[in-house]
Each structure stands twice: as C-alpha cells, then as structure tokens.
Amino acid sequence: MNTMKTTDTAVSPTHMKVDALLAKMSLEEKIGQLAQISGAEFMPGPPAEETVRKMGAGSMLWLNNTQRFNELQKVAIEESPSGIPILFALDVIHGYRTIFPVPLALASSWDPNVAEQAQAIAAKEARAAGIHWTFGPMIDIARDARWGRIVEGAGEDPYLGSAMAAAQVRGFQGDDLADPEHVLACAKHFAGYGAADGGRDYDPVFLSEAQLRNVYLPPFQAAVDAGVATFMSAYMDLNNVPATSNRWLLRDVLREEWGFDGFIVSDAFGVGNLVIQGHARDGQEAALRALKAGLNMDMASSTYLGNLANLVQDGSLTVDEIDEMVRPILTLKFQMGLFENPYVDETLLDQVVARPEHRQAARLAAQRSMVLLRNEGNLLPLAKTLTNVAVIGPLADSMQATEGSWMVFGHQPAAVTVLQGVRAKLADGAVSYAPGPDINRDFPHPFGEFNLSERKPLQSPEDAEAAFHMAVATAQAADLVIMVMGENADMAGEFASRGSLNLPGRQEELLKAVHAMGKPVVLVLLNGRPLSISWAAANIPAILEAWEPGSEGGNAVADILFGDANPGGKLPVCFPRHGSHAPLYYARTLTHQPEHSPMYRSRYWDSPTTPLYPFGFGLSYTTFAIPDLQL
Ligand code: NOJ
C-alpha cells in the first residue's frame, strides 16, 4: 500500500492542476519536463540556462550551489514559457554536510531507526541547501563483496534490505511530501544491479524470476509501500534487456503489479547508452524504446530532448504517451509545493548544518554501526590510563577514509579521524602516530578530480620503505598498538570493484611486523566492503570493523575502544576467506551433500568455503548467561 499519496485520486485537486497545466504546455515544454539536465561545467552541450529558458527542465543534477539554484529557478519561473519550477537533484547518500556512516554500516546496526534518523538529517541539510530530490536509497541486494557498490546498500539479505529501504525512504521524505525539511527519495537501481557477473561493475546480470522475486525485488517493493516518490533504472542488462528500457520491470512489475505512481528516471546517460548496449540503433530508437518501456525522465543524455519531437511527428509516439510520462513529474512538483515555494532561503544552510544534534546523531549512528569481530582475552575495552599508545596505519588520520565513499559533489571532508578520537580519550602526549606506506588503487578512480581521493602525489618506493620503517619503530616504542587499516574511500563505490579482498598495499606486511613484537595489538578496519582478513582473524587479538563511519567516525571508534560505548553491530554480509569465494551468502538452498562433511570436501579442495565471519556475526562487551535450559 502506498501510504503517502492516497488522497490524490484521478479527480483530486492536484490532478486537476496537472491537467490544466498540461493543456497549455507545448510539446517542446513537455519534452523539457522529461529531461534531467546537467548543471556541471564539465558537461558538453548548451548551457543549462539556455535550455531552461527555452523549454523549462524537469530536473537538474550535478550542481551543488544554493545561490545558483535560485538563479536558475528564477529563469525557469520567470522566463520559461509556462514557468514550471525545476527539481534540483543530487546524490545525498549518507549525509550532506554532516556525514553519517555509509549505508552498509547503517545496516550493521540492524536498527531501521538509525538509518531513518540519519537520512532525515541528511534531508534537512540538503533541503536547506536547495536540493529537492536525492538519488537514494540505493537498495540493491549485494552478495558479491568484489562489487564496489556493496558499500551503498544494506548487504545480502532481502528482509534486512527491505527494512532499511523503507526506513531510508521515511527518513528522506518524512510523512508529507510538502514538508520543507525533507527531499524526494529515489529507489535505485531497478533492478538486479548487485548481481553483476563476477562482481564487475556494469556487467550483465542473469537472474531467474524466482531469484528476482525472492531476493532482489523485495527491497524495491518495500520502498514503494513506504511511499517512495521516484525510481531510478539500473545501467546493466537484466537477462539481456537493458534495465533502462525493460518494460517488464518498469511497467509490468513496478507500475501494474505494485501500483507505483511516481516517476522513473534513468541512470546517468542510460538512455543514450542503449545504443552502446546494442539495444537501439541510434538515439531516436533509444528514446522510443525507453519511453515505450515506461521511463519518464532521461538523466543527462539529452536523448529525449533530441528525439522525442521527431518521434511524435513521424507518428511513432502520440502526445498522449508523452503526457502520460510528464504527468507524475508535474504531480510531484505540485505535491511538494514547489509552485508556491520554488526558491530556497540562502541563509538557512549555515544555521541548519551547525546544529550540534546533527554531529551527535552521526556519532551515535557510527557507534551503533561498528562490528566487533574479535576480542581475545577481553583486550577491549582499553583503559583510559594508558600512557604510551601508538596509532599506526595509512587510514589512521585520513578524513577521506573516515567519511567514506560517495561524498556529495564538492564536499570537503571534515571528519574526526581515529587518531584524533583516540588522542581525545588519553592524556596529552600519550599517543604517537605513524601512517606507514600509502595505499593506492592500481588504476586511478575516474572521479579523482572531484575530490574522491585525497590526491596525494604517488609515494616513491624509497619513501614507502622509509614510512614502513618509521611505523615499525613507532610501534616498537609503544606499550600498545592500534592499527587503522582497510581501504581508501575511492576503493569502494562506483568504479571501485576489485578482484581480491585482501588488505591493499603493504598493510598486512606491516600488521605482521607489528604483531611479531609481541605487544597487544588492536586492528580497526575502515572499509566499504567485506575484506578477507584470515591472517588477522587468527592472530590479532582485537578487531573492530568500523566501516566508513562518517564525520564523527574517529570519536565513535574511540568511544568503543575505550568502553564509552558497547559495540552492538552485526554483519549484514558474509566475510569470505578469499575474494575468489564471492559471491558468498547465508541464504542458500541445501544441495545434496552437507557442506561441512569431513569426508566429502566437495566445495574446494584447497580451502574451507565457510565464511570467515558469517552474516549476523558481531560480538559485544556484554556476556550473557542462560542457565538451566531445557528443550
Ligand atoms: C550514476 C550512478 O550509478 C547513480 O547511482 C547516481 O545516482 C547517478 N550516477 C547520478 O550521479
């Protein structure tokens, strides 16, 4: 049941307004509403302003500038033919200015309220900046840890995934689309993207209808039931038909079966890319196929802009078909109150982002998200009386790795790092620090220039060697060592799949060198996917999975390490022993031979195929005694 829009029947005041508006719009203006145009300077094509003035625009993306929003909105309202306001859209995935733990971490709380509150604050800050619509939640089930985008979702399980999907929709949208402290949500990427062959981003997906309906679709249906306003189609082919023009997904399942009445946007350039995917011979055919399949809005490819008028002219499409696509876009603009209040108060953002309760909520969410993987001999929690602690590792003082992947366009990381968090718990001078060698991707991230990586110059082998020795010496001089390791922010997310799940670079070598000193060692992991850490799991007594914990991440890590908070997170995904074991997940049907039979090592002969840490795993500082149990 769509709980949010039940009052808008076919004869509701909103529908009457939409019909009246449609009746006076030219075909060109209607096509303008079906376009989402780029506000980023790096994009070729006519300046956004020109298009807006001529025909209006359904939406704009990749712009994060409050003053510019108002300027462009003024052009739409005062200079475009029917004065229809623009919907400004941006990827606000886990926070706008106050950054929350990444969605995979939020899911580790197993508490939908944590995710809901995080996204409510993200919405409040984003809306104060002038953003109306976020491209979230990402609710793709992901069972292959090699897939970089596993970080954006809630992990492997459809039930947990559905709960997190609905919670995030509620958080972003609130109870009323007209609420000026919320934004429209977008359930993405519809559907099956997480099952990309081999975990390779964008590769084709082959899923039976049973797998789709049992595993991959439930979170999307949960989002519809929670009243999500918009959907985004996925990039890849689903069973040989691109999701962008997949009529079965977009019309039969989403609209007809589930009763979704919002609008669907493609993923970026998805409509134009139908030509590359071999599904259309040219832009004209791509536009025709996508629109016929039920896709309302073309994100950034300008294929609708360039071809829909011709398609109407040559009789391939009717104006009624165009109207059908425009209607839900206008409906949402009316429901949001955009016609009455198209502008944003430019003084609001600074007040809203400065609220201390936002940082406090981010700290609590981070505490709730962390998963204690090992605690031999109760090494944790540590005493605050320690006087000689070394904090070691390439991520120990990295704001970028702490806030994590999928930063809002133009956001400057401002996290409390683990080093800072630990220092704040201990007496002055008690903490020494050495980063050790840098870690880097083998192929750089294509978004590097948009501040996804810290963009340090590449370390020379000599400097890396010196950094390694400095780290060893710093650890040697301490009584206890906290190693902060994992992945840089640009190592998970889009364009960030990988074949191995090992700790990148020389991190494990450094961990082994420090372990060999015989001192107590705590490993704090900052990463956006399961890592295969078999050696650490057998040798390092205390391991905390902190994920990419956000702006208050370092404080939250220190709260847990020093016992001011109890770790209670549980894994929303299995941790495989090797990257080659992916995909790995708990909810499999049983096959004819019991997996653990010592006699029939039937899975692999060279390693156990059980997870290193299973779905649902997570320790805490509390112990439970349950006496006198009887069956
Ligand atoms: C591509 C990504 O796949 C999608 O998740 C994102 O929302 C859009 N680009 C817009 O930035």
Side-chain angles (χ1 to χ4, degrees):
M1 245 272 296
N2 188 328
T3 49
M4 216 176 265
K5 284 170 263 162
T6 43
T7 50
D8 271 331
T9 61
V11 288
S12 73
T14 306
H15 279 80
M16 284 158 62
K17 284 186 207 163
V18 170
D19 284 343
L21 183 53
L22 271 173
K24 66 170 197 179
M25 286 166 73
S26 66
L27 177 61
E28 191 179 40
E29 274 187 282
K30 291 174 182 176
I31 294 169
Q33 290 304 304
L34 301 182
Q36 183 172 53
I37 58 179
S38 165
E41 280 154 16
F42 60 81
M43 287 280 296
E49 207 150 329
E50 236 172 68
T51 311
V52 174
R53 186 170 292 117
K54 192 166 145 229
M55 59 205 292
S59 174
M60 269 181 87
L61 82 166
W62 298 330
L63 179 66
N64 185 15
N65 180 333
T66 306
Q67 199 189 334
R68 188 83 186 116
F69 288 144
N70 277 340
E71 285 166 13
L72 286 160
Q73 195 69 297
K74 194 160 185 280
V75 176
I77 302 288
E78 295 181 7
E79 300 178 44
S80 79
S82 296
I84 302 169
I86 306 169
L87 264 179
F88 292 108
L90 202 69
D91 292 281
V92 179
I93 305 300
H94 54 113
Y96 178 77
R97 191 72 66 74
T98 308
I99 305 302
F100 283 81
V102 287
L104 188 64
L106 291 173
S108 305
S109 72
W110 286 58
D111 183 349
N113 289 328
V114 171
E116 183 174 338
Q117 276 181 28
Q119 301 304 28
I121 291 173
K124 198 176 290 187
E125 293 189 358
R127 190 64 191 265
I131 292 150
H132 305 123
W133 175 25
T134 180
F135 301 126
M138 186 284 216
I139 52 181
D140 294 311
I141 295 295
R143 298 178 154 193
D144 190 328
R146 294 170 299 181
W147 190 51
R149 306 198 75 170
I150 195 169
V151 63
E152 296 173 56
E156 71 181 54
D157 181 64
Y159 182 78
L160 181 62
S162 299
M164 289 294 159
Q168 292 184 81
V169 169
R170 288 195 301 271
F172 282 132
Q173 292 191 173
D175 299 326
D176 181 354
L177 295 180
D179 181 340
E181 294 201 329
H182 286 87
V183 294
L184 300 183
C186 180
K188 73 183 187 188
H189 308 83
F190 196 54
Y193 187 19
D197 264 0
R200 293 178 293 270
D201 212 359
Y202 313 129
D203 259 7
V205 170
F206 298 95
L207 289 169
S208 68
E209 189 166 345
Q211 284 168 300
L212 278 164
R213 294 207 182 260
N214 289 332
V215 180
Y216 291 88
L217 295 185
F220 290 97
Q221 193 167 6
V224 172
D225 290 347
V228 74
T230 73
F231 259 63
M232 185 188 297
S233 57
Y235 273 130
M236 69 318 131
D237 282 13
L238 175 65
N239 301 328
N240 287 330
V241 180
T244 312
S245 57
N246 196 311
R247 189 189 175 96
W248 178 76
L249 275 176
L250 307 187
R251 281 198 194 269
D252 299 357
V253 174
L254 180 56
R255 292 212 184 268
E256 274 151 45
E257 265 183 52
W258 297 349
F260 174 69
D261 60 1
F263 72 82
I264 309 166
V265 65
S266 72
D267 203 338
F269 313 109
V271 181
N273 287 352
L274 289 176
V275 179
I276 303 176
Q277 280 168 275
H279 196 64
R281 100 178 57 84
D282 53 21
Q284 178 137 332
E285 192 179 5
L288 181 65
R289 284 185 180 268
L291 193 128
K292 287 268 188 197
L295 186 99
N296 304 80
M297 192 180 273
D298 168 6
M299 183 190 287
S301 87
S302 300
T303 310
Y304 276 5
L305 278 180
N307 294 285
L308 288 182
N310 288 344
L311 287 164
V312 173
Q313 243 144 40
D314 74 12
S316 309
L317 286 173
T318 64
V319 174
D320 280 354
E321 286 178 297
I322 302 282
D323 286 356
E324 182 205 350
M325 291 295 115
V326 179
R327 201 168 265 118
I329 297 169
L330 294 178
T331 303
L332 278 165
K333 290 183 178 183
F334 277 114
Q335 287 173 327
M336 285 188 84
L338 266 197
F339 285 87
E340 291 85 24
N341 294 305
Y343 300 108
V344 56
D345 169 358
E346 289 175 23
T347 64
L348 198 60
L349 180 64
D350 285 343
Q351 302 159 32
V352 171
V353 295
R355 291 183 190 158
E357 64 264 29
H358 292 192
R359 293 296 285 216
Q360 188 54 22
R363 185 166 178 166
L364 282 174
Q367 291 171 357
R368 297 287 310 276
S369 302
M370 293 180 190
V371 184
L372 184 61
L373 296 177
R374 196 165 194 241
N375 195 15
E376 286 303 290
N378 292 330
L379 175 56
L380 297 178
L382 304 172
K384 289 184 191 158
T385 48
L386 287 167
T387 53
N388 186 12
V389 172
V391 175
I392 307 284
L395 307 180
D397 201 28
S398 164
M399 289 199 275
Q400 187 86 41
T402 309
E403 289 201 338
S405 48
W406 247 141
M407 276 308 106
V408 164
F409 224 59
H411 171 80
Q412 292 305 318
V416 177
T417 64
V418 175
L419 176 64
Q420 291 166 340
V422 170
R423 283 206 160 125
K425 295 286 183 196
L426 298 178
D428 282 355
V431 179
S432 55
Y433 160 65
D438 287 350
I439 54 174
N440 291 296
R441 293 167 51 121
D442 296 351
F443 307 125
H445 197 292
F447 293 168
E449 60 193 277
F450 309 138
N451 86 30
L452 256 175
S453 68
E454 269 160 352
R455 276 174 289 146
K456 286 198 259 175
L458 218 55
Q459 207 169 30
S460 69
E462 297 74 38
D463 287 352
E465 193 60 26
F468 191 95
H469 288 295
M470 175 59 86
V472 168
T474 307
Q476 189 73 64
D479 299 335
L480 179 140
V481 187
I482 299 171
M483 308 290 289
V484 189
M485 301 186 146
E487 293 185 332
N488 278 336
D490 66 359
M491 292 176 173
E494 196 180 357
F495 300 107
S497 296
R498 57 187 295 227
S500 143
L501 297 176
N502 297 342
L503 285 167
R506 296 179 67 184
Q507 293 182 102
E508 188 161 304
E509 189 191 341
L510 182 57
L511 194 58
K512 285 179 174 165
V514 173
H515 170 261
M517 296 168 191
K519 306 173 191 282
V521 177
V522 178
L523 173 61
V524 175
L525 292 170
L526 298 185
N527 47 281
R529 59 153 59 77
L531 293 175
S532 45
I533 47 159
S534 297
W535 184 85
N539 293 284
I540 301 297
I543 306 177
L544 179 68
E545 177 52 81
W547 302 115
E548 294 174 346
S551 303
E552 284 289 326
N555 280 333
V557 165
D559 290 339
I560 287 179
L561 295 185
F562 292 92
D564 292 332
N566 184 30
K570 310 282 174 217
L571 295 179
V573 275
C574 290
F575 271 44
R577 292 170 196 273
H578 298 281
S580 63
H581 292 189
L584 191 72
Y585 48 93
Y586 82 93
R588 283 156 300 132
T589 48
L590 295 176
T591 59
H592 78 289
Q593 268 178 21
E595 186 162 353
H596 304 296
S597 150
M599 191 161 148
Y600 301 107
R601 274 299 185 106
S602 54
R603 297 305 189 278
Y604 297 136
W605 58 255
D606 60 351
S607 58
T609 53
T610 49
L612 181 60
Y613 297 108
F615 174 81
F617 184 83
L619 308 172
S620 87
Y621 296 152
T622 310
T623 54
F624 297 91
I626 307 175
D628 303 328
L629 279 184
Q630 283 173 21
L631 194 60

